[in-house]
Structure formats: structure tokens, C-alpha cells
Amino acid sequence: MQGEIRIIPIHHIPEITQGDDLADVIEVSLKKQQIPLQDHDIIVVTQKIVSKAEGREIDLSIVQPSSFAQEIAKKHKKDSRYIELILQETKRIVRMDHGVIISETHHGFICANAGVDESNAGKKNSAILLPIHPDESAKKINEALQKKKGSDIRFAVIISDTWGRPWREGQVNFAIGSNGIDVLVDYRGQNDSQGFILQASLIAIADELASAAELVMGKTEGVPVVIVRGYKFNTSTNNSKMLLRDPRKDMFR
């Protein structure tokens, strides 16, 4: 049985630049806030600061748009350099309409504009791309924090990003990278409270945790790191790739 869950915003996170050690930054900020990490804490980190630390903030002035990017930009009244970055990050264009490109990224994510974002960029005239290997990014942060705190406690790390959803208004946070947590909770084959056998209940717990963390992150508060405490997660070596639906089972591709 799950009990009370706390969602703790971590303040004092400075502006992140390329090469910053996020584990060090998180540890320093936790000390300033006098919040020691505890066993089974889940550290949720926004994609933006991971990308910035990994040099994925791109100066648009160095981008050379292709003729295809220029054509799309002209049609939708967009910056052709921004469109070019989207195309470079795209494995497959799913649909283009209303000035939005729905892309399948090289990671296998399907999202608007291949996750390329001009908001919250640290520099003017720049855009932020998704981390190249977000699961590896999560693993790096987790292992560094483990090393600092010792082997007797275990953490999980989730990297989150904000995406829209088909058929529903508004955006929510999803897990695009993870380490140390079983991202899915499978209830199939178990009995519900009425004794019926569950057939299809496979819960994307990493997405739910990322979305819960956003409640205190907000979009304007400048809180890119959150601790979720009290959730009894299952440790696992799997990662966010488990959340990608097999195309053979996808009715909408």
C-alpha cells in the first residue's frame, strides 16, 4: 500500500551552462535548502537543464536552413533556422499542420517540433534540443549522486519534458529519461478489489511521477529539480525506452 507522498521543490539551482556537473549542482542546492537525500528518493530533473549542461543549446545564427526548411518556414511564418533544427532532429515527419510539425525523433518519441524549444533558452536567438541519450543522462546523474551518498541508499532519476497529448487540451510532463526505477507497473493478471482479473492495467508510473513533479516546478517559477519522496517504487535496470509503444501495436501510426 502506498502512503503519503511529498513533492519537494529544490530552489537555488543556478543558470546551467555547458559542462556543468548536475549532480554537484543538485547536491549544493540541497545543502542550501537543508534537505538531505533519503533512501528511495526520486529526483526529477527537467530536460532543459540536462540539455544545457550537455551543450544542446544551439545558436540559431550558425544554422544553415535547407530549401525544404525555408519552404516550410515561409508557409507557416516561422524562422527557417528553427525549422531546420526540427528537421535535423526528426527521424520521421508524422504530420504538419497549423504551424506545428509532429515528429518522430531519433529517440523514438513522437512529439511537436521534435522537442526543439525556443522557450527557457539561456541565450537570445537560440534553441534547445533534447538530450541525445536521456536515459544515459539520467544514469550519469544517479550514479554520481550514489557515489556521493554511499551504497547503502538507492535513488531514482527521471528526466522530464512537457508535451501535448492527442485528443486532450493542455500539456503534461512526461518521462523522457530514467534510471533506477521500473517505469511501468503491471497489474495484469492480478485481482481488483471486486475479485475481477485485470486484463489491461499497465501504468506508466514514470510519466505519472514526472507529471506530479510539474505541480511544483511550474513554468515560471524556475524550479528545474524536484524530489518525490515517499513513493515505494520498484528498482529496475530498465529505462524510459520501455514507455515507447511497439509500432506493431500502435493503432495510430
Side-chain angles (χ1 to χ4, degrees), residues 11-53:
H11 302 287
H12 313 294
I13 302 289
E15 185 66 33
I16 300 299
T17 58
Q18 183 174 356
D20 285 347
D21 186 321
L22 291 182
D24 281 343
V25 170
I26 291 169
E27 184 181 42
V28 169
S29 299
L30 286 168
K31 285 181 178 178
K32 287 182 179 178
Q33 205 166 327
Q34 298 183 338
I35 300 175
L37 284 174
Q38 296 181 7
D39 189 36
H40 267 62
D41 274 352
I42 304 165
I43 302 101
V44 183
V45 184
T46 61
Q47 163 265 322
K48 294 289 192 307
I49 66 169
V50 175
S51 292
K52 288 180 179 180

Coordinates of all heavy atoms in Angstrom, one line a residue, residues 11-53:
H11 N 15.2 24.7 -4.7 CA 15.5 26.0 -5.1 C 17.0 26.2 -5.2 O 17.8 25.2 -5.0 CB 14.9 27.0 -4.1 CG 13.4 26.9 -4.0 ND1 12.5 27.3 -4.9 CD2 12.6 26.3 -3.0 CE1 11.3 27.0 -4.5 NE2 11.3 26.5 -3.3
H12 N 17.4 27.4 -5.5 CA 18.9 27.7 -5.5 C 19.6 27.1 -6.7 O 20.8 27.0 -6.7 CB 19.6 27.4 -4.2 CG 18.9 27.9 -3.0 ND1 18.7 29.2 -2.7 CD2 18.3 27.2 -2.0 CE1 18.0 29.3 -1.6 NE2 17.7 28.1 -1.1
I13 N 18.9 26.5 -7.7 CA 19.6 26.0 -8.9 C 20.0 27.2 -9.8 O 19.2 28.0 -10.2 CB 18.7 25.1 -9.7 CG1 18.1 23.9 -8.8 CG2 19.4 24.5 -10.9 CD1 19.2 22.9 -8.5
P14 N 21.3 27.3 -10.0 CA 21.8 28.5 -10.8 C 21.5 28.2 -12.3 O 21.1 27.1 -12.7 CB 23.3 28.5 -10.6 CG 23.6 27.0 -10.3 CD 22.4 26.5 -9.6
E15 N 21.7 29.3 -13.1 CA 21.6 29.1 -14.6 C 22.7 28.1 -15.0 O 23.8 28.2 -14.7 CB 21.9 30.4 -15.3 CG 21.6 30.4 -16.8 CD 20.2 30.1 -17.2 OE1 19.3 30.6 -16.5 OE2 20.0 29.5 -18.2
I16 N 22.2 27.0 -15.7 CA 23.1 26.0 -16.1 C 23.8 26.3 -17.5 O 23.1 26.8 -18.4 CB 22.3 24.6 -16.2 CG1 21.7 24.3 -14.9 CG2 23.2 23.5 -16.7 CD1 22.7 24.1 -13.8
T17 N 25.0 26.0 -17.6 CA 25.8 26.2 -18.8 C 26.5 24.9 -19.2 O 26.6 24.0 -18.4 CB 26.8 27.3 -18.7 OG1 27.7 27.0 -17.6 CG2 26.1 28.6 -18.4
Q18 N 26.9 24.8 -20.4 CA 27.6 23.6 -20.9 C 28.7 23.2 -20.0 O 29.6 24.0 -19.7 CB 28.1 23.8 -22.3 CG 28.7 22.6 -23.0 CD 29.0 22.8 -24.4 OE1 28.8 23.8 -25.0 NE2 29.6 21.8 -25.1
G19 N 28.8 21.9 -19.7 CA 29.9 21.3 -18.9 C 29.6 21.3 -17.4 O 30.3 20.7 -16.7
D20 N 28.5 21.9 -17.0 CA 28.2 21.9 -15.5 C 27.9 20.4 -15.1 O 27.2 19.6 -15.8 CB 26.9 22.7 -15.2 CG 27.3 24.2 -15.2 OD1 28.5 24.6 -15.2 OD2 26.3 25.0 -15.2
D21 N 28.3 20.1 -13.9 CA 28.0 18.8 -13.3 C 26.7 18.9 -12.5 O 26.7 19.5 -11.5 CB 29.2 18.3 -12.4 CG 29.0 16.9 -11.9 OD1 27.9 16.5 -11.5 OD2 30.0 16.2 -11.7
L22 N 25.7 18.3 -13.1 CA 24.3 18.4 -12.5 C 24.2 17.8 -11.1 O 23.5 18.3 -10.3 CB 23.3 17.9 -13.4 CG 23.0 18.7 -14.7 CD1 21.9 18.1 -15.5 CD2 22.7 20.2 -14.4
A23 N 24.9 16.7 -10.9 CA 24.9 16.1 -9.6 C 25.5 17.0 -8.5 O 25.0 17.1 -7.4 CB 25.7 14.7 -9.6
D24 N 26.6 17.7 -8.9 CA 27.2 18.7 -8.0 C 26.3 19.8 -7.7 O 26.1 20.3 -6.6 CB 28.5 19.2 -8.5 CG 29.7 18.2 -8.3 OD1 29.6 17.3 -7.5 OD2 30.7 18.4 -9.0
V25 N 25.6 20.3 -8.8 CA 24.7 21.4 -8.7 C 23.5 21.0 -7.8 O 23.1 21.8 -6.9 CB 24.2 21.9 -10.1 CG1 23.0 22.8 -9.9 CG2 25.3 22.5 -10.9
I26 N 23.0 19.9 -8.0 CA 21.9 19.4 -7.1 C 22.3 19.3 -5.7 O 21.6 19.7 -4.8 CB 21.3 18.1 -7.7 CG1 20.6 18.3 -9.0 CG2 20.3 17.4 -6.7 CD1 20.3 17.0 -9.8
E27 N 23.4 18.7 -5.4 CA 23.9 18.5 -4.1 C 24.1 19.8 -3.4 O 23.7 20.0 -2.2 CB 25.2 17.7 -4.0 CG 25.7 17.4 -2.6 CD 27.0 16.6 -2.6 OE1 27.9 17.0 -3.4 OE2 27.1 15.7 -1.8
V28 N 24.7 20.8 -4.0 CA 24.9 22.1 -3.4 C 23.6 22.8 -3.1 O 23.4 23.4 -2.0 CB 25.8 23.0 -4.3 CG1 25.8 24.4 -3.8 CG2 27.2 22.5 -4.4
S29 N 22.6 22.7 -4.0 CA 21.3 23.3 -3.8 C 20.6 22.6 -2.7 O 19.9 23.3 -1.9 CB 20.5 23.2 -5.1 OG 21.2 23.9 -6.1
L30 N 20.7 21.3 -2.6 CA 20.0 20.6 -1.5 C 20.6 21.0 -0.1 O 19.9 21.2 0.9 CB 20.2 19.1 -1.6 CG 19.4 18.4 -2.7 CD1 19.8 17.0 -3.0 CD2 17.9 18.4 -2.3
K31 N 21.9 21.2 -0.1 CA 22.6 21.7 1.2 C 22.1 23.1 1.6 O 21.9 23.3 2.8 CB 24.1 21.6 1.0 CG 24.7 20.2 1.1 CD 26.2 20.2 0.9 CE 26.8 18.8 1.0 NZ 28.3 18.8 0.8
K32 N 22.0 24.0 0.6 CA 21.5 25.3 0.9 C 20.1 25.3 1.4 O 19.7 26.1 2.3 CB 21.5 26.2 -0.4 CG 22.9 26.6 -0.8 CD 22.9 27.4 -2.1 CE 24.3 27.9 -2.5 NZ 24.2 28.7 -3.8
Q33 N 19.3 24.3 1.0 CA 17.9 24.2 1.4 C 17.8 23.3 2.6 O 16.7 23.1 3.2 CB 17.0 23.7 0.3 CG 15.6 24.1 0.4 CD 14.9 23.8 -1.0 OE1 15.4 24.0 -2.0 NE2 13.6 23.5 -0.9
Q34 N 18.9 22.7 3.0 CA 19.0 21.8 4.2 C 18.0 20.6 4.0 O 17.2 20.3 4.9 CB 18.7 22.6 5.5 CG 19.7 23.7 5.8 CD 19.5 24.3 7.1 OE1 18.4 24.4 7.6 NE2 20.5 24.9 7.7
I35 N 18.1 20.0 2.8 CA 17.3 18.8 2.5 C 18.2 17.7 2.1 O 18.7 17.6 1.0 CB 16.3 19.1 1.4 CG1 15.4 20.2 1.7 CG2 15.5 17.8 1.1 CD1 14.4 20.6 0.6
P36 N 18.6 16.8 3.1 CA 19.4 15.7 2.7 C 18.6 14.6 1.9 O 17.4 14.4 2.1 CB 19.8 15.1 4.1 CG 18.7 15.5 5.0 CD 18.2 16.8 4.5
L37 N 19.3 14.0 0.9 CA 18.6 13.0 0.2 C 18.4 11.8 1.1 O 19.2 11.5 1.9 CB 19.5 12.6 -1.0 CG 19.5 13.5 -2.2 CD1 20.5 13.1 -3.3 CD2 18.1 13.6 -2.9
Q38 N 17.3 11.1 0.8 CA 16.9 9.9 1.6 C 16.8 8.7 0.7 O 16.6 8.8 -0.5 CB 15.6 10.1 2.4 CG 15.7 11.2 3.4 CD 14.4 11.4 4.2 OE1 13.4 10.6 4.0 NE2 14.3 12.5 5.0
D39 N 16.9 7.5 1.3 CA 16.7 6.3 0.6 C 15.4 6.3 -0.2 O 14.4 6.7 0.3 CB 16.8 5.1 1.5 CG 16.8 3.8 0.8 OD1 17.5 3.7 -0.2 OD2 16.2 2.8 1.3
H40 N 15.5 5.9 -1.4 CA 14.3 5.8 -2.3 C 13.7 7.1 -2.7 O 12.6 7.2 -3.2 CB 13.2 4.9 -1.7 CG 13.3 3.5 -2.2 ND1 14.5 2.7 -1.9 CD2 12.5 2.7 -2.9 CE1 14.3 1.5 -2.5 NE2 13.1 1.5 -3.1
D41 N 14.5 8.2 -2.6 CA 14.1 9.5 -3.2 C 14.1 9.4 -4.7 O 15.0 8.7 -5.3 CB 15.0 10.6 -2.8 CG 14.6 11.2 -1.4 OD1 13.5 10.9 -0.9 OD2 15.4 12.0 -0.9
I42 N 13.2 10.1 -5.4 CA 13.1 10.1 -6.8 C 13.5 11.6 -7.2 O 12.8 12.5 -6.8 CB 11.8 9.7 -7.4 CG1 11.4 8.3 -6.9 CG2 11.7 9.8 -8.9 CD1 9.9 8.0 -7.1
I43 N 14.6 11.8 -7.9 CA 15.0 13.1 -8.4 C 14.5 13.3 -9.8 O 14.9 12.6 -10.7 CB 16.5 13.2 -8.3 CG1 17.0 13.0 -6.9 CG2 16.9 14.6 -8.7 CD1 17.6 11.6 -6.7
V44 N 13.6 14.3 -9.9 CA 13.0 14.6 -11.2 C 13.7 15.9 -11.7 O 13.7 16.9 -11.0 CB 11.5 14.8 -11.2 CG1 10.9 15.1 -12.6 CG2 10.8 13.6 -10.6
V45 N 14.3 15.8 -12.9 CA 15.1 16.9 -13.4 C 14.5 17.3 -14.8 O 14.3 16.4 -15.6 CB 16.6 16.4 -13.6 CG1 17.4 17.6 -14.1 CG2 17.1 15.9 -12.3
T46 N 14.3 18.6 -15.0 CA 13.8 19.0 -16.3 C 14.8 18.8 -17.4 O 16.0 18.9 -17.2 CB 13.4 20.4 -16.3 OG1 14.5 21.3 -16.0 CG2 12.3 20.7 -15.3
Q47 N 14.3 18.5 -18.6 CA 15.1 18.3 -19.8 C 16.0 19.5 -20.1 O 17.1 19.4 -20.6 CB 14.2 17.9 -21.0 CG 14.9 18.0 -22.3 CD 14.6 19.4 -23.0 OE1 13.5 19.9 -22.9 NE2 15.6 19.9 -23.7
K48 N 15.4 20.7 -19.8 CA 16.1 21.9 -20.2 C 17.5 22.0 -19.6 O 18.5 22.3 -20.3 CB 15.3 23.1 -19.8 CG 14.0 23.3 -20.5 CD 14.1 23.7 -21.9 CE 12.8 24.2 -22.5 NZ 11.7 23.2 -22.4
I49 N 17.6 21.7 -18.3 CA 18.9 21.9 -17.7 C 19.9 20.8 -18.1 O 21.1 21.0 -18.1 CB 18.9 22.1 -16.2 CG1 18.4 20.8 -15.4 CG2 18.0 23.3 -15.8 CD1 18.6 20.9 -13.9
V50 N 19.3 19.6 -18.4 CA 20.2 18.5 -18.8 C 20.7 18.8 -20.2 O 21.9 18.7 -20.5 CB 19.4 17.2 -18.9 CG1 20.2 16.1 -19.5 CG2 18.9 16.8 -17.5
S51 N 19.9 19.3 -21.1 CA 20.3 19.7 -22.4 C 21.4 20.8 -22.4 O 22.4 20.8 -23.1 CB 19.1 20.2 -23.3 OG 18.3 19.1 -23.5
K52 N 21.1 21.8 -21.5 CA 22.1 22.9 -21.4 C 23.5 22.4 -20.9 O 24.5 22.8 -21.5 CB 21.6 24.0 -20.5 CG 20.4 24.8 -21.0 CD 19.9 25.9 -20.0 CE 18.8 26.7 -20.6 NZ 18.3 27.7 -19.6
A53 N 23.4 21.5 -19.9 CA 24.7 21.0 -19.4 C 25.4 20.2 -20.5 O 26.7 20.1 -20.5 CB 24.4 20.2 -18.2

